[in-house]
Amino acid sequence: MHPKLGYILGYNKEEIQKNNSWRNIINQNDLKFAIDNFKHFQNSSLETYEQIVRYTHKNGSIVHLLTKGLRLKDDNGKFIGVIGILNNVTEIKKLEAEIKKKDDFWRETLEKMDFGFQIIDNEFKYIYLNKKTEEFSKYPPGSLIGKKMTEIYPNIETTDHFHAIKKVIEKKEIEITTNEFNFPNGEIGRFNNIIQPIEQGIAILTHEVPLKIIMKNIELKEKKDQLYKLLQQVPGALYQYRLYPDGKDCYPYVSEKFWEILELQPYNIKESSTNIFKDIHPDDLERINASIQNSINNLSVFDIKYRVVLPTKGERWIQAISQPEKMEDGSILWSGYIKDITENHQAEQELENSILRWKFALEGANDGVWDWNLITNEVYFSPQWKAMFGFKDHEITGSLTEWSTRVHPDDLKTCLEDVNNHLESKTEIYSNIHRVLCKDGTYKWILDRGKVIEKNEKGKPIRMVGTHTDLTERKKLKTS
């Protein structure tokens, strides 16, 4: 067993020496896959190697490890091994599982609904029908997916229902309809529908029970319960935003979930949108205004991801997508939807951060890795970094002082000068050789290298990543 693999999985040096085979701790369901994948790489012409397999931690938990490496060859080009890194991606895997769990929950919810729910694309093809909709259709389950409405119901193009669907696709405006439908088997069904635009095309919520009273009194709370439940099944909130030539703006329509997403109390926004924009993150306002202006100039889809700072939920990421339409009075009307994408954004950011961190480590020295957040002064120290100085993973916190207080006093000044020179863009890469105090009281000579990989909108560094390489033995050889 490689020592670094053992440390990640909670084993000390003696246990690693005693149990020296990775085969003993890999999840047995992944063993064949890992061996076959490595053999395939060994016999291929690929230069890079990558796989994720499960291992058993000392405490019995499952750890997902991402292995990334480069092919090593002798002078004749013959394969002799792999050099690479191990990255613990267990949390990312848990997040992926949680996202899938949520997706499964909503799909199961749609299947159990007593309402029909279907998604149709812009070409009038069925993308999804829940169980209730398939019961309404009188066709076998799954037989309509991928087929056009006009193929299934040849006369549907002459109906008001089809005209309403077509209007929603073209105008991106919600339609509420009641229709009678003649099925191929001769039966007649009467349905009430809520047809609304979504990213894929349209979503139709259907019920056989007459909803005329509810539709006519939709502004009254006691009459909105069923409609509210239906709209809750669709991620995000529907809205219309209108901007007049004189700069006045308003929201002619928003669905109920709009208030929940933005933590607002329902109020009259048909006159002004002032309270909608007040919670937008100030750093994103300029970008949003530029995107709106571009949509106006080109009548192009408004599609943007931005932050809001809410009273209870704090900072959240929002995605807004809408289609503009120029009205006769010169105003622009956007129809679309917004949704909270915070969890997805965080997952994407974490994955991106992980990739950047380990890519830099691979391109560096494959030694101890550090990842410094210059805003919070928090630092990620890899298990290898901690082990280099004799510490276990839990013995080092995420504070910058874990490093700075261990640098030899005679080396600290020049070290900090080199760091500042890089932060001020005076050097392309930060590099410094200094001594670091180990747990046992001795010092190790370290080659410390790093690079700023992220800056804010003003160009100020906010994140720096680097590696520590142990030069102690080389120093001893030079002095001997």
Side-chain angles (χ1 to χ4, degrees), residues 189-231:
R190 192 169 190 275
F191 301 96
N192 296 281
N193 311 286
I194 301 173
I195 310 171
Q196 53 192 33
I198 60 174
E199 184 176 2
Q200 299 93 331
I202 61 167
I204 304 178
L205 301 164
T206 304
H207 200 283
E208 283 188 303
V209 178
L211 299 176
K212 284 186 177 180
I213 296 177
I214 296 177
M215 302 306 177
K216 289 179 180 179
N217 300 282
I218 197 169
E219 298 300 326
L220 302 176
K221 184 180 183 302
E222 65 271 22
K223 300 297 182 181
K224 292 193 295 184
D225 289 345
Q226 290 191 49
L227 178 61
Y228 176 80
K229 290 178 182 178
L230 291 174
L231 291 175

Side-chain angles (χ1 to χ4, degrees), residues 390-412:
F391 294 97
K392 295 181 180 178
D393 194 39
H394 68 276
E395 293 178 319
I396 297 290
T397 67
S399 170
L400 181 63
T401 57
E402 294 282 12
W403 165 77
S404 60
T405 57
R406 291 185 171 85
V407 176
H408 195 288
D410 294 342
D411 301 338
L412 184 59

Side-chain angles (χ1 to χ4, degrees), residues 9 27 54-57 59-64 88 90 94:
L9 298 176
N27 187 289
R54 294 168 292 177
Y55 287 85
T56 302
H57 193 276
N59 63 16
S61 63
I62 297 298
V63 178
H64 294 261
N88 188 343
T90 305
K94 288 180 180 179

Side-chain angles (χ1 to χ4, degrees), residues 81-93:
V82 176
I83 183 172
I85 62 172
L86 290 173
N87 182 8
N88 188 343
V89 295
T90 305
E91 292 304 315
I92 295 176
K93 283 294 182 180

